[in-house]
Structure formats: C-alpha cells, structure tokens
Amino acid sequence: MVNKFSAKHFFFFLVSYSRYNQNLSFDFFPQSPLVFCKEENTKGVLPDSSTSTRLGDSPNNEDAKQKLDVETSARNIFNNNNAGPFISVNQGGGVQFIPCQQRYDTFTSWPGSPIMQYAVHSSNGTYIVSEDKGQATTGGMSAYQISSPASGHSQAMDGSPGSLPSPQQLTEEASRKRELRLMKNREAARECRRKKKEYVKCLENRVAVLEKQNKTLIEELKALKDLYCHKTE
DNA sequence: ACATCCTACCGTCAGCAGAC
DNA sequence: GTCTGCTGACGGTAGGATGT
C-alpha cells in the first residue's frame, strides 16, 4: 500500500501504535498537520456510544460515570481540533477525510482497533509513505518506509533496537513523555476543579451561615431597641 | 421540530512556585 | 537549571431550558 500526498515543510515523520489493553492510550500528534489513521486488527474496549448521559449528571452511578469518562476522553482525543485533518486509509489504499464531528463515531465503528497513525509535513514535494508488511513486527510497531520521489532517498523506519536510539525511537520516547505529562495534567486539572468546587461550596455555606447570623443579630438589636424605648417612655 | 442560549464539564496550554 | 504540580484561561462538547 502506498499513499502519496503533498504538503509544505517536511517537519517530522512519526509512526505510532496505540496500545490500550485495558485503558485508552492513544499516541497522537496535536501539532502535526496531517494525521493518518489505519484500521486493522480490531480489538477493543471503547464503550457503547449510545450512553448519552452527561458526566456528573448521575452522581450515584459510578459505573455510568466511569464509562462516560472513558467515552468522553476518547471523543475529546479524536475531536481535538489541534490534531489537524484526520484521514482514514482503507484497505485498498483509498484516503478519506473524517470530519471533526465524526471522528469519535467513526472510531467506535471500528471496535477497538489499534490505530496506526503517521504524521507527515513535507515542504515542497510529494512524499510517499509506504508500509512494508514483510517486516512488520508482531504486537508492536510495523515497519514503514518514507521516501521522497525527488531525492529517491528512502529511510527505513522499522523501530529495531540498536546501539543508539533511532530518530523514531527518540520521537516515540518524546511522544510517550508527552502523553504521560498530558495524562498527569489531566488528572491534576480534574483534582484542581474538584477542590475549587469544594471550596466554593464551603464559601457558599459560610455565606449562608453568616447571613442567618446577621439576620438574628439584627432582630435581636431591634428587640433590645424596642425594650429600651419602652423603658424610657 | 428546530434554533439558540445557558450550564456543567472536559482536556490542553501556559505560567508560576517550590523541590531537587 | 530542570522537573513537577497547581491553576487560570481558553476552546470544545453535551444536555437541558426556552423561544419560535
């Protein structure tokens, strides 16, 4: 399978394999101008998209909340506007643009398929991205080649371990680190919001108590004033 | 029924502060 | 200097309420 495309600066080339045995863990490249998605080896855990209760609407239903959380995460990942055009490459090599709104739904129609994504940005030529199925590894990264028809240069991207980390390994490592950071920040933001909400609630309660106290004191003052007035008369 | 607005919630980014 | 966690700002989605 060979796909040709043109773009403006060759920026980087990344191949990533999303691994999610129990959790959603996609590698994606928000800065990349093109994100390709390849469907195969279906297997997965994505929840039923028919669940449409908003997260937090059913505070007593932890299962629903958790399920929805995963669903929302998946949706947000696939609908992330920074992710650039989302393109599906089908078995026949055809390329199809997936509108932002449909990414999540499209994904759910491939029940849990590990997603192969490659991001390419080329400067002034057409680059060819090809998959070498013969060198594909099992349970991990497949072997890919990228070549420029102008230079004829071709670089293997097989991800094999060497004495020095390959550019691909470096980018993978960077991608992994980024994902980890994002995940931690996501959790931190969630916790931060929870604490803030708690704090605001606390303040509101205090306001209610103080208002009540104030009202009582005003009434007390009024009663004392009345009493004083009666005495002086 | 559909459009629009509002509210709640989310993930990401950027900037800051503290720890190492 | 780098790393890490926290948090405000921002932009996005979904669901409910309301108007037409």
Side-chain angles (χ1 to χ4, degrees), chain A residues 24 45-47 65-75:
Chain A
L24 287 169
V45 293
L46 261 187
K65 280 174 73 177
Q66 206 169 6
K67 189 177 182 182
L68 200 59
D69 205 14
V70 173
E71 183 186 16
T72 305
S73 297
R75 183 188 300 119

Side-chain angles (χ1 to χ4, degrees), chain A residues 74-202:
Chain A
R75 183 188 300 119
N76 283 334
I77 287 170
F78 278 90
N79 286 347
N80 188 315
N81 283 335
N82 293 331
F86 198 79
I87 301 166
S88 162
V89 182
N90 63 29
Q91 298 278 349
V95 176
Q96 176 196 4
F97 273 84
I98 303 175
C100 179
Q101 193 67 26
Q102 288 175 10
R103 288 179 203 163
Y104 173 73
D105 294 336
T106 306
F107 179 76
T108 56
S109 70
W110 316 331
S113 55
I115 303 297
M116 216 73 86
Q117 295 179 341
Y118 13 123
V120 177
H121 198 178
S122 83
S123 80
N124 47 7
T126 300
Y127 287 85
I128 297 174
V129 176
S130 63
E131 178 187 1
D132 184 349
K133 286 193 184 273
Q135 294 177 38
T137 57
T138 54
M141 195 70 63
S142 294
Y144 285 83
Q145 284 191 327
I146 179 168
S147 63
S148 160
S151 66
H153 176 71
S154 179
Q155 184 186 355
M157 305 287 279
D158 63 5
S160 59
S163 54
L164 287 172
S166 69
Q168 185 197 335
Q169 284 170 324
L170 288 174
T171 50
E172 264 200 346
E173 177 65 9
S175 169
R176 196 187 59 77
K177 278 187 178 173
R178 176 183 151 76
E179 279 304 303
L180 187 65
R181 184 166 49 78
L182 288 180
M183 193 185 74
K184 281 186 178 177
N185 188 241
R186 202 178 302 140
E187 291 297 321
R190 206 172 288 158
E191 179 64 12
C192 181
R193 286 190 190 108
R194 191 192 62 76
K195 274 163 58 183
K196 188 177 179 180
K197 209 170 161 185
E198 207 169 87
Y199 175 69
V200 168
K201 209 167 203 167
C202 203

Side-chain angles (χ1 to χ4, degrees), chain A residues 207-220:
Chain A
V207 166
V209 166
L210 289 174
E211 276 177 345
K212 196 176 174 184
Q213 223 171 41
N214 195 35
K215 197 177 169 188
T216 307
L217 287 171
I218 286 171
E219 280 170 2
E220 203 176 313

